[in-house]
Amino acid sequence: MSQRRTTGDAGRATIRDVAERAGVSVASVSRVLSGNYPVSEELRRRVMKVVRDLDYVTNAHARSLAGGATPTVAILINNITGAAFAHVAKGVEGAATLRGWLSIVGTTGDDPERELALVNLMRQQGVDAVVLLGGAYDYDEYQLRMARFARSLDAAGSHLVLVGRPPLEGDVPATTIDYDNESGAYAMASHLLSAGHRRILTLPGPAELTTAQGRLKGARRAFEAYGVPFDEGLVRHGPYDDEHGYAAVQAALHETPDFTAVLAGTDIVAAGAMQALRGAGLRVPDDVSITGYDDIPLASQLTPQLTTVHVPYEEMGRVALRAVADRRQGPGGGARRKSGDAEHLVLGTHVVVRDSVRPPKRRR
């Protein structure tokens, strides 16, 4: 049997390649893959082994183009109830609707295996782009995994877009839409320092998450710029939820009660911290100042309204969709940092000053 492989698109196996390698007709391969016709177990095993060997993907996208189907973007998010990245998804979906695209949403549950399964499923379905939202763990492994995703999608005629994640290194066919995470934390820590705070309880997020690492780095840099020693004993790592904010403040009130401000990694964490301070009989901001990060709607609904870092989440989603659409239409303009086929677009952040920060006073 001939081992010659002929591909329709560069590097991508066709159904004829599968049929030739398996020694069966194209019709037999089609029956096995569709699952709508009875075939022998031996035939099914033989065909599926070749499918795996050739990394064959049913070109649903090509079939859909023949019928004029709607372009599709898949949004994969860790937790659909997370306020910040739900706004990114809203931005992607809104921009997709304006362009006549279809958007679909899947949740990964922060599970790399589920993320892989969903990316492969989207590749098989022939979506035009896969948008992955959220920070990343284990930087080296992340780079390898995302590079594989990007090249696999590119070979199938799709494109990987990373939002709020580290950009990929080297010549990788992917687009990263990011925001100035570290500088946002630097600006907020500077705001507290300029108000006179020196003992600042810092809740940057999970220690292994790149987002939290950037926020902690920005805070440290602000202390250095102000010539103020940064006390690592006032750093409490934990998830981006209100329970962590509450528990971290409760613990700090027993262990290091002289802090005069809380630099929270998200608005949700800040809300939990605020609740713990109130439970201890402390007033915000009279006794303890508090700041957040994200500027989700909750920030302006708290009492007092929360001083926080504004992240343009919806705009990031809109930019992500535009980047994919522009790529389909050919080269476009815009300020972009490129590394080979990799694009990295960075949006700015800024401090929103509200009512939760005042100069410190000594507490009893």
Side-chain angles (χ1 to χ4, degrees), residues 23-41:
V24 299
S25 68
V26 170
S28 294
V29 175
S30 180
R31 292 189 185 102
V32 170
L33 296 177
S34 68
N36 295 329
Y37 299 89
V39 296
S40 69
E41 185 61 21

Side-chain angles (χ1 to χ4, degrees), residues 165-223:
R165 292 190 171 200
L168 301 184
E169 300 169 354
D171 187 11
V172 180
T175 298
T176 301
I177 313 296
D178 205 358
Y179 59 96
D180 205 347
N181 181 40
E182 182 183 330
S183 292
Y186 174 87
M188 184 54 78
S190 297
H191 180 69
L192 288 172
L193 289 163
S194 67
H197 294 279
R198 296 296 181 265
R199 300 290 292 168
I200 301 174
L201 179 65
T202 304
L203 313 178
E208 66 275 22
L209 185 67
T210 54
T211 302
Q213 291 164 4
R215 292 179 188 181
L216 183 57
K217 185 177 180 182
R220 286 193 181 114
R221 190 159 57 87
F223 274 77

Side-chain angles (χ1 to χ4, degrees), residues 100-159:
W101 284 44
L102 175 68
S103 55
I104 57 179
V105 178
T107 57
T108 66
D110 207 20
D111 180 356
E113 291 301 319
R114 178 163 173 76
E115 185 177 76
L116 171 62
L118 285 172
V119 169
N120 283 336
L121 177 61
M122 294 303 103
R123 184 179 68 139
Q124 292 164 11
Q125 293 300 313
V127 301
D128 295 87
V130 173
V131 178
L132 286 177
L133 309 184
Y137 298 88
D138 193 346
Y139 187 78
D140 291 337
E141 194 277 332
Y142 160 83
Q143 286 284 333
L144 292 172
R145 189 170 78 252
M146 291 303 113
R148 287 196 296 268
F149 285 175
R151 293 188 175 104
S152 175
L153 289 166
D154 186 66
S158 185
H159 189 65

Side-chain angles (χ1 to χ4, degrees), residues 198-200 202 223 228-235 256 258:
R198 296 296 181 265
R199 300 290 292 168
I200 301 174
T202 304
F223 274 77
V228 176
F230 184 81
D231 186 351
E232 296 291 346
L234 285 173
V235 177
T256 52
D258 61 337

